[in-house]
Amino acid sequence: MTETTGYSGGGPVLIKNPHLDSMEEDILYHLDLGTRTHNLPAMFGDIKFVCVGGSPNRMKAFAQFMHKELGLEGSGEDLADICAGTDRYAMYRTGPVLSISHGMGIPSISIMLHELIKLLHHAKCRDVTIIRIGTSGGLGIEAGSVVITDTAVDASFQPRFEQVVLGDVVVRSTDLDRDLAEELLACSKEVPEFPTLIGHTMCTYDFYEGQGRLDGALCSFSSEKKLEYLKRAHEAGVRNIEMESTAFAAMCRLCGLRAAVVCVTLLDRLEGDQIRAPREVLREYQQRPQRLIAAFIRRRLGLRPLPATEGTTDRHGP
Amino acid sequence: MTETTGYSGGGPVLIKNPHLDSMEEDILYHLDLGTRTHNLPAMFGDIKFVCVGGSPNRMKAFAQFMHKELGLEGSGEDLADICAGTDRYAMYRTGPVLSISHGMGIPSISIMLHELIKLLHHAKCRDVTIIRIGTSGGLGIEAGSVVITDTAVDASFQPRFEQVVLGDVVVRSTDLDRDLAEELLACSKEVPEFPTLIGHTMCTYDFYEGQGRLDGALCSFSSEKKLEYLKRAHEAGVRNIEMESTAFAAMCRLCGLRAAVVCVTLLDRLEGDQIRAPREVLREYQQRPQRLIAAFIRRRLGLRPLPATEGTTDRHGP
């Protein structure tokens, strides 16, 4: 069974669940929110941009950064965690921007996305753009490069997400919005201090054996087999590797959300496995997708004219 | 390819990676620890019990609770997060007990376990028992029951964990230590206020469609199909459903760690999907596995004699 519903583009958030409207109350358990306990349209109805990333601290820092970038009053230092009643996820809002953590891996982002998409539906949000800003391992590109994903692929380099439903496998498309990816690449010219490129992103269920690392507690393969696998991935167009993009792409596509994945690379996996850069270098790397997305949101909101300067952007791909 | 290495039982922690010993430094990136920056044998060499669970706050509360249960000096309120330099995981120690969060889902626990197992190996720990104390959905048992897992099974009710290695699937056994499970069941007589039982635990990659919930953002099946699936699971011996046990069982088994999974059930999935119990009830439920494990560790350390009173324990299973 293959599901390949396309984008609605700019409309409401689509819930593909006929049971939901007959529920008297919907408890978004892992977000500590609910339709009876919270006025979701009042809290979230005007949200236009949702940014998600693994680390709660990073998503708080992003919300504070966006607060300044949007020119809003106050320092933004006191933004409250909307999900403070639970430590599963953290959520912050500033202006029309919602910033949420999703933890690591497909199951963790999938729980958050189910509840976030229901939240956006209950809040009657329209015209929502959702962007994952994350970290990743690069393939054949300089550490610190930012990769905008055109297509998320699995560990066999296929553009698909296999979802188990009642014990059976359902295959879903992982295409992302090409126009949005190109728009983001254009925005990257406003932040020319680091390379930005478009490429495929490989999504795995495991950081060590699943990504061909030689430094886990378990490893049964040679350095040669590892490099052979990573080079095949590179030849298939993969430019970075992370652990959430296929599920993110598949769910957002099915629910009519324009979606993008923008990840910085912390190392080049063709050079090694361990993340050895000093903490301050890694911290600056992690700000790069945030700066790109801030430029994009500012441009969308008409807060700054398009600069004429050329950036060091590049386009890679198969 | 099937890997079925058994337990070493009571010996050192086994690293199944020939590359590791030739590394000059091992950076445990997601724990913010390393062999060059930290004296791991001094910090962790005497650890005998490792307890892991999804929520960082809950694992902090467990460490504080154990501190009191072990009769150690001070209130335990000021236990420091050993992984404070990162927000990926939280780690606390008190006496011979290490308490670590693992987030939600197989990929998240798998990253933590790779780095934890390497940590225990570098620290030269011996005779380590590791227990996951978590939350779950029950199947045909009263909410608040505690399930000790005999075997972790996948969404097809099979005792296996499929690990992708360089794009190929490797099948691993998910048996847990039966003697340890029986020892824990015996300990449950010391905490007779709630039912404890032994059964199979089903592990899924998804909380909504993957566990047959009707209340996600996506749902393509009927209430009848859902119940048919859950009843088949129950007939196969499944008594609760969570999202980490197969990977946990497989990795601990391969690395010679005596392992157990002890989860409280927050609801009976044959009765519904939403977690509706009040927060204070859920909080008390979540303390139940902690109380059982505290009784077990106290008994192992000879801190309290075996009580003669009978508890309300029961044994379920196929």
Side-chain angles (χ1 to χ4, degrees):
Chain A
M1 178 177 166
T2 304
E3 297 173 344
T4 51
T5 314
Y7 292 102
S8 70
V13 180
L14 305 173
I15 295 290
K16 298 282 180 66
N17 179 356
H19 306 284
L20 208 71
D21 283 336
S22 61
M23 287 168 59
E24 286 188 16
E25 179 182 12
D26 187 10
I27 299 173
L28 308 173
Y29 175 71
H30 301 86
L31 301 180
D32 197 36
L33 295 169
T35 52
R36 193 169 281 178
T37 48
H38 298 78
N39 185 342
L40 300 178
M43 290 173 74
F44 301 104
D46 55 346
I47 290 292
K48 298 296 177 194
F49 304 95
V50 179
C51 298
V52 306
S55 146
N57 288 349
R58 180 151 45 81
M59 296 321 289
K60 181 178 188 177
F62 175 70
Q64 292 170 336
F65 174 61
M66 276 311 307
H67 190 86
K68 287 175 197 152
E69 290 283 306
L70 294 173
L72 297 173
E73 280 187 31
S75 69
E77 295 299 314
D78 53 351
L79 290 179
D81 180 2
I82 300 169
C83 303
T86 174
D87 64 350
R88 300 298 191 172
Y89 304 106
M91 179 191 289
Y92 303 89
R93 79 162 287 176
T94 181
V97 180
L98 199 60
S99 177
I100 314 169
S101 70
H102 56 58
M104 287 186 286
I106 285 174
S108 188
I109 195 174
S110 153
I111 294 173
M112 191 279 284
L113 284 176
H114 271 281
E115 300 186 9
L116 168 69
I117 290 167
K118 291 197 295 175
L119 181 158
L120 298 173
H121 170 75
H122 293 312
K124 304 191 195 312
C125 294
R126 295 185 65 90
D127 234 337
V128 175
T129 298
I130 182 167
I131 302 172
R132 164 165 148 69
I133 46 177
T135 56
S136 63
L139 266 195
I141 57 178
E142 188 188 338
S145 301
V146 171
V147 178
I148 302 166
T149 306
D150 53 2
T151 301
V153 300
D154 67 12
S156 305
F157 324 135
Q158 298 303 308
R160 67 187 172 198
F161 174 61
E162 295 189 351
Q163 169 74 46
V164 175
V165 179
L166 302 182
D168 296 321
V169 174
V170 175
V171 179
R172 291 177 176 161
S173 162
T174 56
D175 277 349
L176 288 153
D177 191 311
R178 299 286 171 120
D179 293 341
L180 180 56
E182 292 290 350
E183 191 179 344
L184 288 164
L185 187 68
C187 280
S188 72
K189 298 188 197 313
E190 294 181 32
V191 275
E193 303 83 11
F194 50 85
T196 302
L197 54 103
I198 289 182
H200 293 356
T201 296
M202 183 163 79
C203 178
T204 69
Y205 282 92
D206 178 54
F207 185 80
Y208 287 95
E209 297 174 281
Q211 296 186 7
R213 277 189 162 81
L214 301 172
D215 63 340
L218 302 167
C219 180
S220 55
F221 46 85
S222 66
S223 177
E224 290 71 30
K225 287 282 179 196
K226 161 200 159 172
L227 281 174
E228 185 197 311
Y229 177 69
L230 292 182
K231 282 176 181 163
R232 276 199 290 131
H234 188 263
E235 280 160 22
V238 172
R239 291 298 172 270
N240 66 337
I241 309 173
E242 43 79 273
M243 299 179 67
E244 295 87 13
S245 58
T246 52
F248 174 82
M251 284 188 69
C252 293
R253 185 181 173 83
L254 283 171
C255 295
L257 288 166
R258 267 188 314 251
V261 177
V262 178
C263 290
V264 72
T265 58
L266 302 182
L267 76 169
D268 181 357
R269 287 297 319 289
L270 298 180
E271 307 285 325
D273 297 331
Q274 293 234 311
I275 300 167
R276 297 189 168 280
R279 283 269 154 190
E280 53 271 33
V281 172
L282 294 174
R283 197 169 301 125
E284 193 275 317
Y285 283 177
Q286 292 181 28
Q287 289 166 352
R288 294 179 174 188
Q290 301 186 15
R291 290 167 60 199
L292 173 55
I293 299 313
F296 162 77
I297 292 176
R298 279 200 321 265
R299 184 196 278 212
R300 274 281 185 95
L301 294 175
L303 287 179
R304 200 166 100 167
L306 209 73
T309 54
E310 281 285 313
T312 59
T313 57
D314 193 10
R315 187 190 168 87
H316 289 232
Chain B
M1 177 177 166
T2 303
E3 297 174 345
T4 52
T5 316
Y7 292 103
S8 69
V13 180
L14 306 173
I15 295 290
K16 297 284 180 65
N17 179 357
H19 306 285
L20 209 70
D21 283 337
S22 60
M23 287 168 56
E24 286 190 14
E25 178 182 14
D26 186 12
I27 299 173
L28 309 173
Y29 175 71
H30 300 85
L31 301 180
D32 197 35
L33 295 169
T35 51
R36 192 168 281 177
T37 48
H38 298 79
N39 185 340
L40 299 178
M43 290 174 75
F44 301 106
D46 55 346
I47 291 292
K48 298 297 177 194
F49 304 95
V50 178
C51 297
V52 306
S55 146
N57 287 349
R58 180 151 45 79
M59 297 320 290
K60 180 178 189 178
F62 174 69
Q64 293 171 337
F65 174 61
M66 276 311 307
H67 191 84
K68 288 175 194 151
E69 290 283 305
L70 294 173
L72 297 174
E73 279 187 33
S75 68
E77 296 297 316
D78 54 350
L79 290 179
D81 180 2
I82 300 168
C83 302
T86 174
D87 64 349
R88 300 298 192 172
Y89 304 106
M91 180 191 288
Y92 303 89
R93 79 161 288 175
T94 180
V97 181
L98 200 60
S99 178
I100 315 168
S101 70
H102 56 59
M104 289 187 284
I106 285 174
S108 187
I109 196 173
S110 154
I111 294 173
M112 190 279 283
L113 285 175
H114 271 280
E115 300 185 12
L116 168 69
I117 289 167
K118 291 197 294 176
L119 181 158
L120 298 172
H121 169 76
H122 293 311
K124 304 190 196 310
C125 295
R126 295 187 64 91
D127 234 335
V128 175
T129 297
I130 182 166
I131 301 173
R132 163 165 147 69
I133 48 175
T135 57
S136 62
L139 265 194
I141 57 177
E142 189 190 337
S145 300
V146 170
V147 178
I148 302 166
T149 306
D150 53 5
T151 301
V153 300
D154 66 12
S156 306
F157 323 135
Q158 299 302 309
R160 66 184 175 200
F161 174 60
E162 294 188 352
Q163 170 74 46
V164 175
V165 180
L166 302 183
D168 296 321
V169 173
V170 176
V171 179
R172 291 176 176 164
S173 162
T174 55
D175 277 349
L176 290 153
D177 192 311
R178 298 287 171 120
D179 293 342
L180 179 57
E182 293 290 348
E183 191 179 346
L184 288 164
L185 186 68
C187 280
S188 73
K189 296 187 198 315
E190 294 181 32
V191 275
E193 303 83 11
F194 51 84
T196 301
L197 54 102
I198 289 182
H200 292 356
T201 296
M202 182 163 81
C203 179
T204 68
Y205 282 93
D206 178 56
F207 185 80
Y208 286 96
E209 296 173 282
Q211 296 187 6
R213 278 190 160 82
L214 301 171
D215 63 341
L218 303 167
C219 180
S220 56
F221 46 84
S222 66
S223 177
E224 291 70 30
K225 287 284 178 195
K226 161 201 158 172
L227 281 173
E228 185 199 310
Y229 177 68
L230 292 182
K231 282 176 181 162
R232 275 198 291 133
H234 188 264
E235 280 160 22
V238 173
R239 291 296 173 271
N240 66 336
I241 310 172
E242 43 79 274
M243 299 179 66
E244 294 87 14
S245 59
T246 51
F248 174 81
M251 285 188 69
C252 293
R253 185 180 174 83
L254 283 171
C255 295
L257 289 165
R258 267 189 315 252
V261 177
V262 178
C263 290
V264 71
T265 58
L266 302 183
L267 77 169
D268 182 357
R269 287 298 317 291
L270 298 181
E271 307 284 325
D273 296 330
Q274 293 235 311
I275 300 168
R276 297 188 168 280
R279 284 270 154 188
E280 53 271 32
V281 172
L282 294 174
R283 199 169 300 127
E284 193 275 318
Y285 283 176
Q286 293 180 28
Q287 290 166 351
R288 294 179 174 188
Q290 301 186 15
R291 291 166 62 199
L292 173 55
I293 298 314
F296 162 79
I297 292 175
R298 280 200 320 264
R299 184 195 278 210
R300 275 280 186 93
L301 295 174
L303 289 179
R304 200 165 102 169
L306 209 72
T309 54
E310 281 284 315
T312 59
T313 59
D314 191 8
R315 186 189 169 88
H316 289 231

